[in-house]
Amino acid sequence: MALAARLWRFLPLRRGAVPGSWVTAGTSGSRRHCGPCRFSGFEVMGNPGTFKRGLLLSALSYLGFETYQIISQAAVVHATAKDEEILEQADYLYESGETEKLYQLLAQYKESEDAELLWRLARASRDVAQLSRTSEEEKKLLVYEALEYAKRALEKNESNFAAHKWYAICLSDVGDYEGIKVKIANAYIIKEHFEKAIELNPKDATSIHLMGIWCYTFAEMPWYQRRIAKMLFASPPSSTYEEALVYFHRAEQVDPNFYSKNLLLLGKTYLKLHNKKLAALWLTKARDYPAHTEEDKQIQTEAAQLLTSVSDKN
């Protein structure tokens, strides 16, 4: 009965007719039987044969529509499941340190409309660019490629904190190829996206750490760059070591020992603030951090050298 009721919407009506509810006959209160049947007082056109054919075609149209909906929904579910599978593979490769395999996997889906996939592809492109065996020419191409993927991820989903984070990171990388003026101009945009990433996900230690790096970088800016910045901009970006310290500590509170570089920068920031005791504490943690990556090894070496320097000055 439900199917039959829904099929009435597809019945052919006389020109000018509009579908409506059944009307009652006389005073009996019963529904009119189809002699000609009426929707809101309009007759259904045609003889009984035409009516039957119309009903059959309507049924087929309806069933075809229902089938289309089912197939479409199944396709969406299948596509979603496939996307999830790709993301799971990508995350596994990332955690395993399989940088090039990860890039090769995700590059197959570079035309994707999925922000989650696109920001991962931006990250993978950047990671390949950072490999020591990547040539300078290839590195530059990958850096710009990464920015494009991050930009698309952001366009697809402005509420995705990782898209904001990786757009900011990739924009910073591009600045190395576009000169000091562009780099300083981009700094404002980079800061905005790091802040947005933190707002969207306050528990992401990496975004907080990166905001700390932003502050540390501008606190450490050489005098000649400050002079250039003042010539180019009325209010050039600026920060302090104290601000950087707040972000580095906040990142540790969110996720203790999540990143060797955060430990190193805590030590270096305390050195800038002439607090050797706390500097030594964090530099020791950075030196003793288990090395899982090439970067971890570099940080261990730098931390050890800084500790030696601190000891020599005591």
Side-chain angles (χ1 to χ4, degrees):
M1 289 297 293
L3 175 60
R6 295 174 71 179
L7 285 174
W8 285 113
R9 295 186 292 111
F10 294 89
L11 291 177
L13 302 180
R14 189 176 65 186
R15 182 176 297 175
V18 292
S21 59
W22 285 93
V23 293
T24 56
T27 58
S28 66
S30 62
R31 291 178 176 172
R32 284 188 176 176
H33 299 287
C34 286
C37 298
R38 294 175 181 266
F39 279 112
S40 298
F42 292 95
E43 291 183 358
V44 176
M45 290 186 64
N47 57 37
T50 303
F51 172 75
K52 289 178 181 178
R53 286 195 298 273
L55 180 59
L56 177 60
L57 290 172
S58 298
L60 291 173
S61 298
Y62 173 76
L63 291 173
F65 175 71
E66 289 288 298
T67 303
Y68 168 76
Q69 282 192 316
I70 292 168
I71 292 172
S72 298
Q73 290 168 1
V76 170
V77 171
H78 177 71
T80 302
K82 184 179 179 182
D83 288 345
E84 289 297 326
E85 185 179 337
I86 294 165
L87 294 179
E88 285 178 9
Q89 291 176 26
D91 290 343
Y92 173 78
L93 290 172
Y94 181 76
E95 293 298 328
S96 303
E98 297 284 358
T99 304
E100 289 169 303
K101 287 183 180 179
L102 173 59
Y103 175 75
Q104 290 165 6
L105 169 69
L106 294 177
Q108 299 176 65
Y109 307 99
K110 61 184 179 181
E111 302 303 325
S112 173
E113 301 292 309
D114 187 345
E116 288 290 332
L117 195 150
L118 288 168
W119 74 252
R120 283 173 171 81
L121 180 52
R123 180 182 65 183
S125 301
R126 182 182 185 272
D127 286 348
V128 173
Q130 299 292 320
L131 294 175
S132 57
R133 56 182 171 273
T134 302
S135 68
E136 283 302 316
E137 183 179 352
E138 189 178 5
K139 179 179 179 179
K140 183 177 179 180
L141 290 173
L142 285 164
V143 164
Y144 279 92
E145 183 181 298
L147 178 61
E148 183 59 30
Y149 293 138
K151 182 180 178 181
R152 283 176 52 206
L154 203 54
E155 289 170 352
K156 299 303 176 185
N157 187 356
E158 290 187 352
S159 298
N160 188 306
F161 84 93
H164 283 278
K165 175 171 68 177
W166 285 100
Y167 179 75
I169 292 169
C170 295
L171 187 61
S172 177
D173 290 343
V174 164
D176 293 338
Y177 298 98
E178 300 196 350
I180 186 68
K181 183 177 180 179
V182 173
K183 194 163 189 173
I184 293 173
N186 284 345
Y188 296 99
I189 303 170
I190 290 165
K191 183 183 181 184
E192 287 175 7
H193 284 284
F194 282 149
E195 289 174 337
K196 187 64 178 178
I198 294 169
E199 177 189 327
L200 290 168
N201 186 0
K203 296 299 182 181
D204 181 52
T206 308
S207 297
I208 301 168
H209 163 80
L210 291 167
M211 193 62 236
I213 289 182
W214 190 96
C215 295
Y216 186 93
T217 300
F218 284 99
E220 193 182 37
M221 181 183 282
W223 66 268
Y224 65 90
Q225 288 188 2
R226 290 182 190 278
R227 179 175 291 181
I228 294 171
K230 287 180 180 178
M231 290 171 61
L232 296 173
F233 303 95
S235 301
S238 62
S239 190
T240 65
Y241 291 118
E242 287 82 1
E243 287 178 311
L245 198 63
V246 169
Y247 282 109
F248 294 141
H249 271 299
R250 183 177 165 188
E252 283 300 313
Q253 290 167 1
V254 167
D255 191 0
N257 296 315
F258 74 102
Y259 188 23
S260 59
K261 191 170 185 178
N262 199 64
L263 302 174
L264 176 69
L265 283 168
L266 274 163
K268 291 176 74 171
T269 306
Y270 274 117
L271 278 178
K272 294 289 186 181
L273 295 171
H274 309 292
N275 189 328
K276 293 182 180 179
K277 183 177 180 180
L278 286 176
L281 171 67
W282 290 102
L283 289 172
T284 300
K285 289 186 177 185
R287 182 197 63 191
D288 297 340
Y289 189 90
H292 299 294
T293 65
E294 188 175 318
E295 183 186 36
D296 288 335
K297 293 175 184 177
Q298 293 170 355
I299 286 168
Q300 282 182 339
T301 301
E302 185 177 354
Q305 290 171 347
L306 287 169
L307 278 168
T308 301
S309 175
V310 170
S311 299
D312 291 343
K313 291 178 181 179
N314 287 339

